Amino acid sequence: MPSTHREHENDRQLLLAQLDGWRKKPNAGTFPNQALVDYVKLVGKHFLPVSLLMTLQEARLAIPNCVGDPVEREVLLRFLNIILDKRDNRYDYISYIALPLLGADPQTLTPNHSEGATRTRIALLVGDALIFETGAALGLRPELPLMRPGFNLLQKRLRHGLRMIRSMRPDSARVISDNLQVNPAVVHKQLIDFLDIASMADRSWLSMTVLPVYVVHDEYLFIRVLQSFESLFAFLALDAEDCIQALNLGDVSRAIGNLSSAADMFLKVLPLFSLLATLQRDAFTTFREYTEGASAIQSVNYKTFESICGTPSLERLHSPSFTSVPPVQARVLEGRPTIQGTVDAIRGSGTLNEIQDMQLSDSLARLEEVHQRWKRTHYSLALRMLGDTTGTGYTEGTPYLKSVINNRLFRQVG
């Protein structure tokens, strides 16, 4: 049952008082971000009271003229847009996982999608999820109290998560022990130490990017895993763009390196599905009721990566797969350059020697195979969690995933 807010009335009143004080002296650097995040986690974004939403709308109007540098004002505006997405009737997958704030550089607001930064970001996201898991088990995290996992499931979740962190950041072994019988108290401290030493220049986005729709415990992990996948796809899209540039410059070795890096990252991130598989099905279906309108089919990063690899078929381009991401669809229709098209052109020019051609074919085939494996794993997990029910973004759900398994990145290359 949705929260009645009665048990958190004092928290609401305190937050409203803080917001009222802020509106009297609006400063982007003093907005009560953490207090607002804490309250969202106590009641769920779907159930924020109207009085609070109206106050936040008024606060948002004050941002253009408030004190603070432009970066602080932009961050605050993005943050409030995400909080108010349902109120504004703009709620979707991008706002659900707080993508406009994820890993934003404090100076440019442009996420760093290099391989090293991506590995660190995924390690931080998973690490933060496990800090929540262990903190909840130790009685330190009152938020999202419903349907918490038992000890055995927690152990399984921690093992998968820690394995993921070590894969992304091998240096984490210095502070995170490799023990099959993980002790929540020990892991909690080790993860806090790890986040301290692995921190990027600014980790403030971590606390602002879990804004669950309800108060079911497992939604925290769900959001962090989705954000990790989005970090992967942002890297893959950038890597694919660089591959095209390398091919156009005649640097085939660099292009092959790009393709290998993409395949390697895909493989290293695949274990995220094992972590995601620890979600309790009843918990998932409970909070999923309030995520209608948000679906991974709206992932701009994934579709960007796919469309840079090869031009989608007309049928796919005009299906919900791409009509759900209009900016990506528009770039394809404008004639976006692709790896597939660039390879075809180079082969047609006769500038590739036999060894380069063979190595390029092998690299393309390996990335294709890893991508197919990713899709099959995704489908299997979705089928287990959802059965044949429809998706949350007004999509067909698992039937859709099954229908696109055979779609290829490089249909005309080989």
Side-chain angles (χ1 to χ4, degrees):
M1 297 262 321
S3 170
T4 62
H5 304 124
R6 271 179 266 170
E7 59 187 303
H8 300 300
E9 178 60 21
N10 289 339
D11 298 287
R12 184 182 73 89
Q13 293 292 348
L14 179 60
L15 177 57
L16 287 173
Q18 290 179 280
L19 290 169
D20 185 58
W22 182 86
R23 282 189 298 163
K24 292 175 181 176
K25 296 181 66 175
N27 184 319
T30 62
F31 190 85
N33 293 338
Q34 193 57 53
L36 179 54
V37 168
D38 291 343
Y39 185 75
V40 171
K41 291 176 182 175
L42 288 175
V43 302
K45 186 165 70 171
H46 190 83
F47 299 100
L48 292 177
V50 173
S51 59
L52 175 59
L53 293 171
M54 293 177 65
T55 300
L56 292 175
Q57 284 179 309
E58 293 171 5
R60 183 171 59 181
L61 291 173
I63 292 175
N65 300 314
C66 75
V67 176
D69 67 55
V71 170
E72 289 181 323
R73 290 199 296 269
E74 178 63 22
V75 168
L76 180 56
L77 179 61
R78 293 184 185 196
F79 176 56
L80 290 183
N81 282 342
I82 291 167
I83 295 284
L84 292 166
D85 57 359
K86 284 178 174 274
R87 177 79 171 180
D88 294 339
N89 198 29
R90 292 181 297 98
Y91 175 73
D92 60 10
Y93 178 72
I94 292 173
S95 65
Y96 174 56
I97 63 172
L99 202 56
L101 290 173
L102 188 60
D105 180 272
Q107 299 303 316
T108 65
L109 290 178
T110 302
N112 183 347
H113 298 315
S114 69
E115 182 173 350
T118 300
R119 287 173 178 266
T120 295
R121 186 174 300 117
I122 292 174
L124 291 175
L125 290 168
V126 175
D128 179 71
L130 298 190
I131 286 175
F132 173 71
E133 294 291 335
T134 52
L138 297 170
L140 304 175
R141 303 292 291 261
E143 67 269 37
L144 281 72
L146 297 187
M147 307 176 77
R148 290 196 159 162
F151 183 75
N152 290 338
L153 181 57
L154 173 63
Q155 287 272 311
K156 184 177 181 180
R157 193 168 284 181
L158 293 179
R159 285 195 293 272
H160 285 307
L162 292 173
R163 190 175 299 118
M164 189 73 242
I165 293 172
R166 294 189 195 99
S167 175
M168 291 293 101
R169 287 289 299 260
D171 63 327
S172 65
R174 290 183 293 150
V175 290
I176 302 175
S177 61
D178 187 2
N179 191 325
L180 292 178
Q181 293 301 315
V182 285
N183 182 311
V186 173
V187 172
H188 189 74
K189 182 180 184 307
Q190 290 178 338
L191 286 169
I192 289 175
D193 290 342
F194 167 67
L195 260 67
D196 285 342
I197 67 170
S199 173
M200 288 181 281
D202 180 13
R203 284 198 292 111
S204 61
W205 55 268
L206 263 180
S207 65
M208 298 169 64
T209 51
V210 174
L211 300 165
V213 292
Y214 193 31
V215 291
V216 175
H217 175 94
D218 282 10
E219 191 179 357
Y220 198 111
L221 177 65
F222 182 66
I223 290 174
R224 286 305 194 208
V225 171
L226 293 183
Q227 291 168 337
S228 296
F229 276 128
E230 284 300 309
S231 297
L232 165 69
F233 292 128
F235 162 74
L236 292 175
L238 187 68
D239 189 67
E241 289 275 18
D242 193 66
C243 181
I244 292 174
Q245 183 180 19
L247 289 169
N248 285 327
L249 292 173
D251 193 344
V252 179
S253 295
R254 181 174 129 203
I256 290 171
N258 289 129
L259 294 168
S260 296
S261 294
D264 289 344
M265 278 292 284
F266 247 132
L267 283 173
K268 285 185 177 296
V269 174
L270 269 175
L272 278 173
F273 282 120
S274 298
L275 181 59
L276 194 60
T278 66
L279 289 182
Q280 302 167 96
R281 183 173 181 177
D282 288 347
F284 177 65
T285 54
T286 298
F287 71 75
R288 183 175 176 271
E289 179 181 347
Y290 307 110
T291 62
E292 187 62 61
S295 169
I297 200 174
Q298 299 160 342
S299 172
V300 172
N301 287 325
Y302 176 76
K303 296 300 182 354
T304 298
F305 164 66
E306 178 188 346
S307 64
I308 295 174
C309 287
T311 303
S313 66
L314 284 177
E315 179 182 4
R316 180 162 173 76
L317 188 58
H318 294 288
S319 74
S321 299
F322 277 84
T323 57
S324 298
V325 286
V328 183
Q329 183 190 47
R331 286 202 62 185
V332 175
L333 291 172
E334 290 167 4
R336 154 175 262 155
T338 66
I339 295 175
Q340 171 184 296
T342 307
V343 169
D344 286 347
I346 292 175
R347 282 179 169 156
S349 70
T351 57
L352 286 178
N353 62 47
E354 187 176 345
I355 294 177
Q356 288 176 324
D357 200 345
M358 181 179 65
Q359 291 176 334
L360 194 55
S361 292
D362 288 346
S363 297
L364 292 167
R366 180 168 178 257
L367 179 55
E368 186 76 76
E369 190 280 327
V370 173
H371 177 245
Q372 288 296 115
R373 181 175 167 188
W374 185 90
K375 288 197 295 182
R376 290 193 298 270
T377 306
H378 183 198
Y379 170 69
S380 296
L381 178 59
L383 189 63
R384 197 184 85 182
M385 298 295 290
L386 296 174
D388 292 325
T389 58
T390 58
T392 52
Y394 313 113
T395 64
E396 297 176 1
T398 51
Y400 163 78
L401 294 177
K402 184 178 182 180
S403 72
V404 299
I405 282 180
N406 292 325
N407 285 350
R408 301 179 65 81
L409 295 174
F410 307 110
R411 284 177 295 277
Q412 299 172 20
V413 173

